[in-house]
Structure formats: structure tokens, C-alpha cells
């Protein structure tokens, strides 16, 4: 014998079971949607993580390449500095050699200048002596030329006299 309460409790239980089943279905649907959202978000996060990881790997590779280039450049600079130091040392040796050579040339120049001055002095003295001798010879030449001219005049006079006397003798002989 079941009474109205039983049916009321049974109806309430059935209704509660239906509501619970409906809530369970709604909950399961929402849970499924949330799982799908979470899976989609997880996939996005994994893709983003992979992209960032790849980007960081590229950055690391680029930085490694730059570091290698920098090391190569540093080595080239070190080699260049060493080369410049060697050239500087070589130039210092060359400068010392040239300084010695210049000092030697300077002393040779001083000696040559002194010798030149002495030679110029001797040449001036000799030139004065030769000028005096030349003037003396000029005077002797002028005297000799004057004597020659005088002798020539006397000779011409004597010759004219001889010719005139010869002409006179020839005339006297012809007569």
C-alpha cells in the first residue's frame, strides 16, 4: 500500500533524478567545452613555446656567430698590433742607423766645407798671383809691342831710305 506520500516522494525522486541527469549533462557539456578550450589554449601555448624556443635558438646562433666574428676580429687585431710593433721596432733600428749615418755625413760635410774654404783661400791667393803676373806680362807685351812698333817704323824708314837710294843709284847708273 502505497500512499500519496510514496508517489510524491517517488515523483520528487524521479524529478530530482531527471534534474540531476540534466544538470549532469549540462555539467558534462560545459566540462567538455572547457576541456576543448584548455586543449586549444595548451596547443596555442605549445606553439608559442616552440616559436619562442626557435627564436631564442636563432638568437643564440646569431650571437654565437657574432662572438666567433668578434674573436676572429680580435685575433686579426692582435696580429695587426704585433705586426705594427715589429714594424715600429724595425723603424727604431732604421732610425738609429739613419741617425748614425746622418752624424757621419754631417762630420764629412764639415770636413768638406773646411777643405773647400781652404781651397778657396788658396785659389784666391793663386788668382791674385796670376793676375799680378798677367798684368806684368801685359805691361811687358805693351812695352815689346811699343818697341816692335818703334823698330818697325825705323825699319820702314830705313827701307824707304834704302829704296829711295836704290832708286837714285839705279838712276845714276842709267845715266
Amino acid at each position: 500500500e502505497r500512499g500519496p506520500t510514496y508517489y510524491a516522494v517517488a515523483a520528487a525522486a524521479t524529478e530530482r533524478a531527471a534534474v540531476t541527469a540534466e544538470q549532469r549533462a549540462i555539467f558534462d557539456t560545459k566540462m567538455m567545452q572547457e576541456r576543448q578550450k584548455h586543449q586549444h589554449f595548451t596547443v596555442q601555448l605549445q606553439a608559442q613555446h616552440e616559436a619562442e624556443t626557435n627564436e631564442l635558438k636563432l638568437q643564440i646562433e646569431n650571437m654565437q656567430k657574432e662572438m666567433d666574428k668578434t674573436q676572429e676580429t680580435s685575433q686579426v687585431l692582435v696580429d695587426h698590433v704585433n705586426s705594427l710593433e715589429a714594424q715600429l721596432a724595425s723603424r727604431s733600428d732604421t732610425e738609429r742607423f739613419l741617425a748614425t749615418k746622418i752624424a757621419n755625413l754631417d762630420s764629412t760635410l764639415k770636413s768638406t766645407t773646411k777643405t773647400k774654404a781652404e781651397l778657396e783661400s788658396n785659389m784666391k791667393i793663386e788668382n791674385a798671383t796670376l793676375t799680378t803676373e798677367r798684368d806684368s806680362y801685359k805691361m811687358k807685351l805693351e812695352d815689346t809691342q811699343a818697341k816692335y812698333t818703334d823698330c818697325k817704323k825705323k825699319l820702314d824708314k830705313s827701307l824707304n831710305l834704302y829704296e829711295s837710294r836704290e832708286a837714285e843709284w839705279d838712276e845714276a847708273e842709267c845715266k
Side-chain angles (χ1 to χ4, degrees):
E1 288 185 54
R2 298 186 184 169
T5 329
Y6 170 77
Y7 290 109
V9 169
T14 306
E15 198 176 306
R16 197 175 323 136
V19 169
T20 304
E22 189 178 320
Q23 283 179 347
R24 169 76 57 197
I26 291 172
F27 178 76
D28 287 343
T29 305
K30 283 187 179 182
M31 190 64 139
M32 194 65 119
Q33 287 174 352
E34 286 299 317
R35 276 190 188 157
Q36 286 176 351
K37 282 182 188 177
H38 282 242
Q39 281 179 347
H40 181 68
F41 184 70
T42 303
V43 167
Q44 283 179 342
L45 282 178
Q46 285 177 344
Q48 185 180 358
H49 175 71
E50 265 185 48
E52 287 177 0
T53 302
N54 290 337
E55 185 178 323
L56 289 174
K57 284 180 182 178
L58 285 175
Q59 286 179 355
I60 289 171
E61 286 176 13
N62 289 337
M63 288 180 176
Q64 185 68 36
K65 287 177 184 176
E66 286 181 30
M67 186 177 79
D68 291 342
K69 286 180 186 177
T70 303
Q71 286 176 344
E72 289 173 7
T73 304
S74 295
Q75 186 60 41
V76 167
L77 289 175
V78 166
D79 292 344
H80 188 64
V81 166
N82 290 338
S83 172
L84 290 175
E85 286 175 348
Q87 287 179 3
L88 184 61
S90 174
R91 285 187 182 161
S92 294
D93 292 342
T94 304
E95 286 175 0
R96 272 187 246 119
F97 170 75
L98 290 175
T100 304
K101 190 78 168 174
I102 288 170
N104 290 340
L105 287 173
D106 199 28
S107 67
T108 303
L109 178 64
K110 287 178 183 176
S111 172
T112 304
T113 305
K114 183 179 175 184
T115 305
K116 179 186 170 207
E118 289 172 1
L119 288 174
E120 282 178 350
S121 173
N122 290 341
M123 290 188 75
K124 283 180 183 178
I125 293 169
E126 191 173 332
N127 189 21
T129 304
L130 290 173
T131 302
T132 305
E133 282 182 32
R134 183 196 67 200
D135 291 342
S136 170
Y137 286 133
K138 275 184 181 181
M139 290 175 73
K140 284 181 184 179
L141 178 64
E142 287 173 3
D143 285 344
T144 305
Q145 282 178 340
K147 285 178 185 178
Y148 169 76
T149 305
D150 193 32
C151 284
K152 188 174 180 186
K153 284 180 185 178
K154 286 179 183 179
L155 183 64
D156 283 342
K157 196 175 186 182
S158 294
L159 187 59
N160 286 339
L161 183 62
Y162 170 75
E163 285 175 357
S164 71
R165 283 192 184 165
E166 186 181 24
E168 284 177 16
W169 289 334
D170 281 341
E171 274 181 32
E173 268 185 17
C174 285
K175 288 187 182 181

